[in-house]
PDB file of all heavy atoms in Angstrom:
ATOM      1  N   GLY A  23       8.748  15.458 -11.483  1.00  0.00           N
ATOM      2  CA  GLY A  23       9.505  14.219 -11.602  1.00  0.00           C
ATOM      3  C   GLY A  23       8.668  12.986 -11.373  1.00  0.00           C
ATOM      4  O   GLY A  23       9.100  11.879 -11.691  1.00  0.00           O
ATOM      5  N   ILE A  24       7.468  13.175 -10.821  1.00  0.00           N
ATOM      6  CA  ILE A  24       6.526  12.062 -10.667  1.00  0.00           C
ATOM      7  C   ILE A  24       5.524  12.149 -11.815  1.00  0.00           C
ATOM      8  O   ILE A  24       4.787  13.120 -11.936  1.00  0.00           O
ATOM      9  CB  ILE A  24       5.792  12.124  -9.308  1.00  0.00           C
ATOM     10  CG1 ILE A  24       6.784  11.932  -8.160  1.00  0.00           C
ATOM     11  CG2 ILE A  24       4.693  11.062  -9.243  1.00  0.00           C
ATOM     12  CD1 ILE A  24       7.467  10.590  -8.126  1.00  0.00           C
ATOM     13  N   SER A  25       5.516  11.139 -12.664  1.00  0.00           N
ATOM     14  CA  SER A  25       4.693  11.213 -13.864  1.00  0.00           C
ATOM     15  C   SER A  25       3.233  10.855 -13.617  1.00  0.00           C
ATOM     16  O   SER A  25       2.354  11.313 -14.345  1.00  0.00           O
ATOM     17  CB  SER A  25       5.264  10.294 -14.947  1.00  0.00           C
ATOM     18  OG  SER A  25       5.404   8.971 -14.466  1.00  0.00           O
ATOM     19  N   ARG A  26       2.949  10.069 -12.581  1.00  0.00           N
ATOM     20  CA  ARG A  26       1.569   9.609 -12.397  1.00  0.00           C
ATOM     21  C   ARG A  26       1.276   9.404 -10.903  1.00  0.00           C
ATOM     22  O   ARG A  26       1.562   8.336 -10.359  1.00  0.00           O
ATOM     23  CB  ARG A  26       1.377   8.300 -13.155  1.00  0.00           C
ATOM     24  CG  ARG A  26      -0.071   7.867 -13.346  1.00  0.00           C
ATOM     25  CD  ARG A  26      -0.807   8.726 -14.333  1.00  0.00           C
ATOM     26  NE  ARG A  26      -0.309   8.579 -15.686  1.00  0.00           N
ATOM     27  CZ  ARG A  26      -0.704   7.648 -16.551  1.00  0.00           C
ATOM     28  NH1 ARG A  26      -1.605   6.759 -16.212  1.00  0.00           N
ATOM     29  NH2 ARG A  26      -0.204   7.622 -17.773  1.00  0.00           N
ATOM     30  N   PRO A  27       0.739  10.418 -10.203  1.00  0.00           N
ATOM     31  CA  PRO A  27       0.334  10.197  -8.810  1.00  0.00           C
ATOM     32  C   PRO A  27      -0.653   9.029  -8.725  1.00  0.00           C
ATOM     33  O   PRO A  27      -1.378   8.736  -9.678  1.00  0.00           O
ATOM     34  CB  PRO A  27      -0.337  11.525  -8.428  1.00  0.00           C
ATOM     35  CG  PRO A  27       0.298  12.533  -9.330  1.00  0.00           C
ATOM     36  CD  PRO A  27       0.501  11.806 -10.632  1.00  0.00           C
ATOM     37  N   ALA A  28      -0.679   8.367  -7.581  1.00  0.00           N
ATOM     38  CA  ALA A  28      -1.502   7.168  -7.433  1.00  0.00           C
ATOM     39  C   ALA A  28      -2.184   7.155  -6.073  1.00  0.00           C
ATOM     40  O   ALA A  28      -1.825   7.905  -5.166  1.00  0.00           O
ATOM     41  CB  ALA A  28      -0.649   5.917  -7.610  1.00  0.00           C
ATOM     42  N   LEU A  29      -3.165   6.276  -5.961  1.00  0.00           N
ATOM     43  CA  LEU A  29      -3.937   6.142  -4.727  1.00  0.00           C
ATOM     44  C   LEU A  29      -3.392   4.970  -3.914  1.00  0.00           C
ATOM     45  O   LEU A  29      -3.281   3.849  -4.417  1.00  0.00           O
ATOM     46  CB  LEU A  29      -5.402   5.915  -5.074  1.00  0.00           C
ATOM     47  CG  LEU A  29      -6.449   6.150  -3.982  1.00  0.00           C
ATOM     48  CD1 LEU A  29      -6.405   7.600  -3.494  1.00  0.00           C
ATOM     49  CD2 LEU A  29      -7.831   5.815  -4.512  1.00  0.00           C
ATOM     50  N   MET A  30      -3.052   5.253  -2.668  1.00  0.00           N
ATOM     51  CA  MET A  30      -2.455   4.258  -1.785  1.00  0.00           C
ATOM     52  C   MET A  30      -3.362   3.978  -0.596  1.00  0.00           C
ATOM     53  O   MET A  30      -3.990   4.889  -0.061  1.00  0.00           O
ATOM     54  CB  MET A  30      -1.102   4.777  -1.273  1.00  0.00           C
ATOM     55  CG  MET A  30      -0.375   3.837  -0.322  1.00  0.00           C
ATOM     56  SD  MET A  30       0.230   4.686   1.153  1.00  0.00           S
ATOM     57  CE  MET A  30      -1.242   4.730   2.171  1.00  0.00           C
ATOM     58  N   THR A  31      -3.434   2.704  -0.202  1.00  0.00           N
ATOM     59  CA  THR A  31      -4.172   2.342   0.997  1.00  0.00           C
ATOM     60  C   THR A  31      -3.375   1.338   1.802  1.00  0.00           C
ATOM     61  O   THR A  31      -2.357   0.808   1.333  1.00  0.00           O
ATOM     62  CB  THR A  31      -5.556   1.764   0.620  1.00  0.00           C
ATOM     63  OG1 THR A  31      -6.371   1.701   1.791  1.00  0.00           O
ATOM     64  CG2 THR A  31      -5.430   0.370   0.014  1.00  0.00           C
ATOM     65  N   LEU A  32      -3.823   1.064   3.022  1.00  0.00           N
ATOM     66  CA  LEU A  32      -3.203   0.046   3.877  1.00  0.00           C
ATOM     67  C   LEU A  32      -4.143  -1.135   4.010  1.00  0.00           C
ATOM     68  O   LEU A  32      -5.355  -0.974   4.118  1.00  0.00           O
ATOM     69  CB  LEU A  32      -2.898   0.608   5.264  1.00  0.00           C
ATOM     70  CG  LEU A  32      -1.830   1.696   5.371  1.00  0.00           C
ATOM     71  CD1 LEU A  32      -1.643   2.099   6.831  1.00  0.00           C
ATOM     72  CD2 LEU A  32      -0.509   1.234   4.791  1.00  0.00           C
ATOM     73  N   LEU A  33      -3.563  -2.332   4.009  1.00  0.00           N
ATOM     74  CA  LEU A  33      -4.316  -3.560   4.208  1.00  0.00           C
ATOM     75  C   LEU A  33      -3.662  -4.373   5.326  1.00  0.00           C
ATOM     76  O   LEU A  33      -2.447  -4.265   5.549  1.00  0.00           O
ATOM     77  CB  LEU A  33      -4.342  -4.387   2.915  1.00  0.00           C
ATOM     78  CG  LEU A  33      -5.223  -3.838   1.787  1.00  0.00           C
ATOM     79  CD1 LEU A  33      -5.015  -4.646   0.514  1.00  0.00           C
ATOM     80  CD2 LEU A  33      -6.685  -3.861   2.189  1.00  0.00           C
ATOM     81  N   PRO A  34      -4.446  -5.206   6.024  1.00  0.00           N
ATOM     82  CA  PRO A  34      -3.876  -5.991   7.120  1.00  0.00           C
ATOM     83  C   PRO A  34      -2.980  -7.112   6.604  1.00  0.00           C
ATOM     84  O   PRO A  34      -3.263  -7.730   5.574  1.00  0.00           O
ATOM     85  CB  PRO A  34      -5.113  -6.562   7.821  1.00  0.00           C
ATOM     86  CG  PRO A  34      -6.156  -6.601   6.757  1.00  0.00           C
ATOM     87  CD  PRO A  34      -5.901  -5.409   5.890  1.00  0.00           C
ATOM     88  N   ALA A  35      -1.896  -7.343   7.304  1.00  0.00           N
ATOM     89  CA  ALA A  35      -0.994  -8.466   7.005  1.00  0.00           C
ATOM     90  C   ALA A  35      -1.163  -9.507   8.099  1.00  0.00           C
ATOM     91  O   ALA A  35      -0.962  -9.220   9.274  1.00  0.00           O
ATOM     92  CB  ALA A  35       0.457  -7.988   6.932  1.00  0.00           C
ATOM     93  N   MET A  36      -1.564 -10.702   7.711  1.00  0.00           N
ATOM     94  CA  MET A  36      -1.833 -11.757   8.678  1.00  0.00           C
ATOM     95  C   MET A  36      -0.593 -12.587   9.032  1.00  0.00           C
ATOM     96  O   MET A  36      -0.648 -13.496   9.839  1.00  0.00           O
ATOM     97  CB  MET A  36      -2.924 -12.690   8.137  1.00  0.00           C
ATOM     98  CG  MET A  36      -4.222 -11.971   7.806  1.00  0.00           C
ATOM     99  SD  MET A  36      -4.855 -11.047   9.228  1.00  0.00           S
ATOM    100  CE  MET A  36      -6.244 -10.204   8.480  1.00  0.00           C
ATOM    101  N   GLY A  37       0.492 -12.278   8.389  1.00  0.00           N
ATOM    102  CA  GLY A  37       1.744 -12.972   8.685  1.00  0.00           C
ATOM    103  C   GLY A  37       2.890 -12.025   8.428  1.00  0.00           C
ATOM    104  O   GLY A  37       2.704 -10.894   7.994  1.00  0.00           O
ATOM    105  N   GLY A  38       4.091 -12.461   8.700  1.00  0.00           N
ATOM    106  CA  GLY A  38       5.239 -11.607   8.458  1.00  0.00           C
ATOM    107  C   GLY A  38       5.557 -10.712   9.637  1.00  0.00           C
ATOM    108  O   GLY A  38       5.014 -10.841  10.732  1.00  0.00           O
ATOM    109  N   GLU A  39       6.411  -9.733   9.373  1.00  0.00           N
ATOM    110  CA  GLU A  39       6.966  -8.901  10.430  1.00  0.00           C
ATOM    111  C   GLU A  39       6.027  -7.808  10.909  1.00  0.00           C
ATOM    112  O   GLU A  39       6.064  -7.408  12.070  1.00  0.00           O
ATOM    113  CB  GLU A  39       8.275  -8.275   9.918  1.00  0.00           C
ATOM    114  CG  GLU A  39       9.030  -7.461  10.942  1.00  0.00           C
ATOM    115  CD  GLU A  39      10.329  -6.907  10.388  1.00  0.00           C
ATOM    116  OE1 GLU A  39      10.744  -7.332   9.291  1.00  0.00           O
ATOM    117  OE2 GLU A  39      10.928  -6.052  11.065  1.00  0.00           O
ATOM    118  N   HIS A  40       5.152  -7.304  10.019  1.00  0.00           N
ATOM    119  CA  HIS A  40       4.314  -6.154  10.342  1.00  0.00           C
ATOM    120  C   HIS A  40       2.828  -6.486  10.262  1.00  0.00           C
ATOM    121  O   HIS A  40       2.443  -7.491   9.662  1.00  0.00           O
ATOM    122  CB  HIS A  40       4.653  -5.002   9.398  1.00  0.00           C
ATOM    123  CG  HIS A  40       6.085  -4.585   9.430  1.00  0.00           C
ATOM    124  ND1 HIS A  40       6.929  -4.738   8.344  1.00  0.00           N
ATOM    125  CD2 HIS A  40       6.835  -4.044  10.415  1.00  0.00           C
ATOM    126  CE1 HIS A  40       8.124  -4.293   8.661  1.00  0.00           C
ATOM    127  NE2 HIS A  40       8.101  -3.874   9.909  1.00  0.00           N
ATOM    128  N   ASP A  41       2.008  -5.603  10.844  1.00  0.00           N
ATOM    129  CA  ASP A  41       0.560  -5.834  10.906  1.00  0.00           C
ATOM    130  C   ASP A  41      -0.178  -5.349   9.667  1.00  0.00           C
ATOM    131  O   ASP A  41      -1.349  -5.685   9.474  1.00  0.00           O
ATOM    132  CB  ASP A  41      -0.021  -5.135  12.140  1.00  0.00           C
ATOM    133  CG  ASP A  41       0.485  -5.732  13.437  1.00  0.00           C
ATOM    134  OD1 ASP A  41       0.843  -6.923  13.435  1.00  0.00           O
ATOM    135  OD2 ASP A  41       0.542  -4.997  14.440  1.00  0.00           O
ATOM    136  N   ALA A  42       0.475  -4.515   8.858  1.00  0.00           N
ATOM    137  CA  ALA A  42      -0.194  -3.953   7.684  1.00  0.00           C
ATOM    138  C   ALA A  42       0.825  -3.723   6.580  1.00  0.00           C
ATOM    139  O   ALA A  42       2.029  -3.646   6.822  1.00  0.00           O
ATOM    140  CB  ALA A  42      -0.890  -2.643   8.046  1.00  0.00           C
ATOM    141  N   PHE A  43       0.315  -3.608   5.355  1.00  0.00           N
ATOM    142  CA  PHE A  43       1.192  -3.294   4.228  1.00  0.00           C
ATOM    143  C   PHE A  43       0.557  -2.229   3.350  1.00  0.00           C
ATOM    144  O   PHE A  43      -0.668  -2.043   3.344  1.00  0.00           O
ATOM    145  CB  PHE A  43       1.526  -4.548   3.412  1.00  0.00           C
ATOM    146  CG  PHE A  43       0.356  -5.177   2.702  1.00  0.00           C
ATOM    147  CD1 PHE A  43       0.033  -4.834   1.397  1.00  0.00           C
ATOM    148  CD2 PHE A  43      -0.429  -6.137   3.335  1.00  0.00           C
ATOM    149  CE1 PHE A  43      -1.043  -5.423   0.738  1.00  0.00           C
ATOM    150  CE2 PHE A  43      -1.503  -6.731   2.687  1.00  0.00           C
ATOM    151  CZ  PHE A  43      -1.809  -6.368   1.384  1.00  0.00           C
ATOM    152  N   VAL A  44       1.398  -1.525   2.616  1.00  0.00           N
ATOM    153  CA  VAL A  44       0.986  -0.485   1.686  1.00  0.00           C
ATOM    154  C   VAL A  44       0.638  -1.137   0.356  1.00  0.00           C
ATOM    155  O   VAL A  44       1.346  -2.022  -0.118  1.00  0.00           O
ATOM    156  CB  VAL A  44       2.129   0.526   1.484  1.00  0.00           C
ATOM    157  CG1 VAL A  44       1.832   1.462   0.314  1.00  0.00           C
ATOM    158  CG2 VAL A  44       2.382   1.314   2.757  1.00  0.00           C
ATOM    159  N   MET A  45      -0.464  -0.670  -0.268  1.00  0.00           N
ATOM    160  CA  MET A  45      -0.806  -1.139  -1.604  1.00  0.00           C
ATOM    161  C   MET A  45      -1.151   0.059  -2.477  1.00  0.00           C
ATOM    162  O   MET A  45      -1.926   0.926  -2.092  1.00  0.00           O
ATOM    163  CB  MET A  45      -1.985  -2.106  -1.570  1.00  0.00           C
ATOM    164  CG  MET A  45      -2.288  -2.731  -2.918  1.00  0.00           C
ATOM    165  SD  MET A  45      -3.473  -4.100  -2.769  1.00  0.00           S
ATOM    166  CE  MET A  45      -3.692  -4.502  -4.503  1.00  0.00           C
ATOM    167  N   MET A  46      -0.526   0.106  -3.667  1.00  0.00           N
ATOM    168  CA  MET A  46      -0.806   1.173  -4.621  1.00  0.00           C
ATOM    169  C   MET A  46      -0.367   0.735  -6.016  1.00  0.00           C
ATOM    170  O   MET A  46       0.545  -0.079  -6.127  1.00  0.00           O
ATOM    171  CB  MET A  46      -0.128   2.477  -4.222  1.00  0.00           C
ATOM    172  CG  MET A  46       1.400   2.462  -4.251  1.00  0.00           C
ATOM    173  SD  MET A  46       2.126   4.002  -3.659  1.00  0.00           S
ATOM    174  CE  MET A  46       1.572   5.172  -4.882  1.00  0.00           C
ATOM    175  N   ASP A  47      -1.090   1.126  -7.011  1.00  0.00           N
ATOM    176  CA  ASP A  47      -2.229   2.008  -7.101  1.00  0.00           C
ATOM    177  C   ASP A  47      -3.495   1.181  -6.896  1.00  0.00           C
ATOM    178  O   ASP A  47      -3.595   0.061  -7.383  1.00  0.00           O
ATOM    179  CB  ASP A  47      -2.211   2.677  -8.464  1.00  0.00           C
ATOM    180  CG  ASP A  47      -3.338   3.633  -8.727  1.00  0.00           C
ATOM    181  OD1 ASP A  47      -3.994   4.075  -7.782  1.00  0.00           O
ATOM    182  OD2 ASP A  47      -3.576   3.936  -9.903  1.00  0.00           O
ATOM    183  N   VAL A  48      -4.496   1.750  -6.207  1.00  0.00           N
ATOM    184  CA  VAL A  48      -5.746   1.028  -5.989  1.00  0.00           C
ATOM    185  C   VAL A  48      -6.917   1.720  -6.679  1.00  0.00           C
ATOM    186  O   VAL A  48      -8.057   1.615  -6.233  1.00  0.00           O
ATOM    187  CB  VAL A  48      -6.036   0.839  -4.478  1.00  0.00           C
ATOM    188  CG1 VAL A  48      -5.027  -0.120  -3.869  1.00  0.00           C
ATOM    189  CG2 VAL A  48      -6.055   2.168  -3.732  1.00  0.00           C
TER     190      VAL A  48
END
């Protein structure tokens, strides 16, 4: 059901509610 697996990483968030965010596809 997933047509294209992807590469995910975490990056720092300098503002907002959390310290990091998910980014994909990288």
